[in-house]
Amino acid sequence: MGELLEKIAKRRTFAIISHPDAGKTTLTEKLLLYGGAIHLAGSVKARKSNKHAVSDWMEIEKQRGISVTSSVLQFDYDGYRVNILDTPGHQDFSEDTYRTLMAADSAVMLIDAAKGVEPQTKKLFWVCHRRHLPIFTFINKLDRFGRKPLDLMTEVEEVLGIKVYPIDWPIGIDGRYKGVYNRLTREVSLFQADTSHGSKQLAVIKGRLEDEQIRSRLEDEIYQTLLDDIDLLDMAGEDFNQDQVNRGELTPMFFGSAMTNFGVQEFLERFLKLSPQPQPRQLQNGEILQPDNESFSAFIFKIQANMNPAHRDRISFMRICSGIFEKGMMVYHLQSGKMIKLAQPQQFMAQERTIVEKAYPGDIIGIFDPGVFGIGDSLSDEKLKLQFEDFPVFPPEIFARVQPKDSLKRKQFEKGILQLSQEGAIQVFQQKDIGVESFIVGVVGTLQLEVLDYRLQNEYSAQLVLNQLSYTVARWVSAENPEQIEAIKGLDNGMLVYDKKDRPVILVNNEWALNWILERNPGLAFLSVPPDAAKV
Ligand code: G4P
């Protein structure tokens, strides 16, 4: 096997999706612990007081105790190179999460055993499902009282409409959780609780159900329940089918406790075996690009400015889709039509950065960005010059007019607004012909406005005056002739603005107003996303 094929076969790139508080940060940390990337997992309590979870980057995250930006973490396990795309759990940042999912080959859906399928789980599940991403389910917090495993299975099946195949079945529930039974290998793992509160790897006793060392460690009631459950699942449950997993039609389910490490290693090992290697990617022209294509290609799914406040830098994260990346290589950037040198490529392990010499399909690398890249941009060998499929665009629902508080700071202010919109943190619109240059920002959730305010002050030293507008709906406008667009300029119940590509957009208070305008302006059409963007 050639170098490229070998590397592809051993790569796994996935995102963890969940409702806030299901335990994503904890699970990520524990996967890193088992991957040897960290040696002592800080308990979440310790993180709250003095130490922050490894994937927290930005100051605002620390202050608010939430995870705002997606980060990428990498570790090796059993010959595999694992790339975890950490997605923010807060619902206001769903846009960022959706973009991150574009770079993943599979997703791990984390569910709190006591809460079941929550609203954010559903939203994120649907995005994955629509893209036919393979989804693995990890039911977390088994150390506590929770819903019955069979009920959780049924809930996932009924609420999300995906078939479930439990691979690890819990032994003992409701505070009596002892281990897991693997239905594929028929092997039992019993966990030896220690006093490290999950900061170290657990000792595990492995064996078959009939083995005396297993049997003697389980109370009769727990043992009998396990036998009954296994019989029931084998008789009435789905069969395991890898093709269905690959198509995202069946989700392998695992049970564990990220906090106590119960079931984490068992999950990781099985997940690496069953999850897909880097997959072919869809191109704009309808063709499919195979990862083992020798020519290099990648797309940018995330841009983050000022990750290190001391350096004022801006990093673009790209997912490699084909070929081999080598440090310093020249690539063609489709959107600017220029050849660009990929100097100082970096990989990220929390705040530590390492320079990458070589990287392969599935890998995520960050490069210093001189300000030319945008979300969804395509990079490739000059001979390929390809364009990946467009990223989904979300119509913003909250709008505000923003201005610098101090007009002497206008330059910093404009730079900040422009960069944050390139990062995809906000969408920016402008009104035309009103004398002063005025920016209108559009976001999906109000927390984004707070982040905008905070970052402009902290990163660009520009204070903001922000006036929220009453509009809640944005539509891109197309017309048979430009005069029809002119005609809706002076509307009382709407505002005509232009996006950063100079496309006209109408802002109104409600859907009803849209119909009102359409009825009076034949020839106009309204689109919920830009005319050339993919719909979610
Ligand atoms: P998130 O990133 O998905 O938002 O969740 P995070 O890991 O921060 O975990 C949210 C809370 O759930 C934390 O508690 C964490 O300790 C707890 N947790 C995570 N995994 C488990 C688990 O397997 N079992 C139990 N019992 N709890 C778990 P917290 O209330 O924020 O802090 P604390 O006061 O409990 O330390």
Side-chain angles (χ1 to χ4, degrees), residues 192-204:
Q192 304 290 89
D194 57 24
T195 52
S196 81
H197 300 292
S199 66
K200 294 192 189 139
Q201 298 193 13
L202 273 183
V204 180

Side-chain angles (χ1 to χ4, degrees), residues 431-454:
Q431 244 180 316
K432 283 188 179 169
D433 313 324
I434 57 156
V436 292
E437 242 192 308
S438 160
F439 292 99
I440 307 233
V441 297
V443 293
V444 183
T446 45
L447 187 57
Q448 273 171 280
L449 291 180
E450 285 180 46
V451 172
L452 168 69
D453 185 37
Y454 179 91

Side-chain angles (χ1 to χ4, degrees), residues 404-458:
K405 198 166 189 177
D406 175 356
S407 57
L408 293 175
K409 296 268 168 116
R410 183 149 198 109
K411 235 173 141 174
Q412 288 95 312
F413 166 82
E414 283 187 7
K415 185 174 167 200
I417 293 279
L418 185 77
Q419 289 199 341
L420 292 174
S421 83
Q422 274 176 334
E423 259 182 54
I426 49 171
Q427 292 187 45
V428 176
F429 304 96
Q430 282 189 289
Q431 244 180 316
K432 283 188 179 169
D433 313 324
I434 57 156
V436 292
E437 242 192 308
S438 160
F439 292 99
I440 307 233
V441 297
V443 293
V444 183
T446 45
L447 187 57
Q448 273 171 280
L449 291 180
E450 285 180 46
V451 172
L452 168 69
D453 185 37
Y454 179 91
R455 291 189 60 187
L456 274 180
Q457 255 188 67
N458 282 275

Side-chain angles (χ1 to χ4, degrees), residues 497-511:
V497 293
Y498 291 81
D499 73 3
K500 63 181 180 205
K501 289 191 179 164
D502 210 25
R503 294 174 294 212
V505 178
I506 183 90
L507 309 182
V508 290
N509 289 333
N510 48 43
E511 302 271 341

Side-chain angles (χ1 to χ4, degrees), residues 148-388:
K148 302 233 168 338
L150 282 170
D151 294 347
L152 286 159
M153 247 182 88
T154 314
E155 185 177 349
V156 169
E157 281 176 341
E158 287 178 357
V159 176
L160 301 177
I162 185 170
K163 290 192 242 179
V164 175
Y165 183 93
I167 290 188
D168 281 345
W169 194 251
I171 306 176
I173 51 167
D174 289 341
R176 293 159 78 200
Y177 180 40
K178 300 277 185 302
V180 289
Y181 169 80
N182 185 308
R183 294 179 62 222
L184 295 180
T185 61
R186 309 251 153 212
E187 194 178 51
V188 175
S189 304
L190 292 185
F191 309 122
Q192 304 290 89
D194 57 24
T195 52
S196 81
H197 300 292
S199 66
K200 294 192 189 139
Q201 298 193 13
L202 273 183
V204 180
I205 298 173
K206 285 189 192 277
R208 319 283 301 177
L209 261 178
E210 323 67 69
D211 292 351
E212 186 48 29
Q213 62 154 352
I214 299 290
R215 178 72 190 85
S216 63
R217 283 180 164 82
L218 294 175
E219 292 160 42
D220 287 345
E221 187 204 330
I222 290 182
Y223 190 77
Q224 194 52 49
T225 306
L226 176 63
L227 294 181
D228 294 346
D229 284 352
I230 295 170
D231 273 353
L232 182 69
L233 290 171
D234 286 351
M235 267 168 19
E238 297 287 337
D239 288 331
F240 183 77
N241 180 322
Q242 183 71 50
D243 290 335
Q244 291 184 355
V245 175
N246 295 347
R247 291 196 298 267
E249 294 165 6
L250 180 142
T251 178
M253 186 179 266
F254 299 81
F255 292 83
S257 157
M259 191 177 76
T260 59
N261 299 349
F262 278 28
V264 171
Q265 186 171 23
E266 287 66 23
F267 161 71
L268 176 62
E269 290 185 352
R270 191 54 43 187
F271 169 75
L272 292 175
K273 291 200 175 78
L274 301 180
S275 60
Q277 62 182 49
Q279 292 295 294
R281 311 298 296 199
Q282 176 89 39
L283 301 177
Q284 188 84 297
N285 62 10
E287 285 173 20
I288 301 283
L289 176 80
Q290 295 299 330
D292 61 351
N293 188 319
E294 298 283 329
S295 297
F296 171 83
S297 70
F299 62 81
I300 292 172
F301 66 97
K302 176 177 175 58
I303 297 175
Q304 194 170 337
N306 309 320
M307 264 178 39
N308 180 347
H311 294 110
R312 297 275 133 179
D313 49 9
R314 195 170 116 120
I315 305 270
S316 289
F317 290 89
M318 62 180 78
R319 176 196 152 110
I320 300 177
C321 298
S322 67
I324 299 178
F325 167 85
E326 286 180 48
K327 188 177 123 189
M329 75 193 296
M330 297 288 291
V331 298
Y332 180 75
H333 174 228
L334 186 99
Q335 280 68 18
S336 68
K338 287 189 185 135
M339 292 298 288
I340 291 180
K341 185 173 178 173
L342 300 183
Q344 294 216 44
Q346 317 211 1
Q347 271 168 344
F348 293 82
M349 183 50 240
Q351 268 128 355
E352 287 163 34
R353 304 174 175 191
T354 49
I355 296 283
V356 191
E357 297 293 331
K358 266 186 163 184
Y360 302 88
D363 284 344
I364 310 294
I365 54 175
I367 51 162
F368 285 106
D369 172 2
V372 292
F373 296 136
I375 299 283
D377 283 6
S378 305
L379 299 162
S380 59
D381 264 6
E382 198 179 6
K383 44 185 182 304
L384 278 183
K385 288 198 175 167
L386 50 76
Q387 182 164 15
F388 289 99

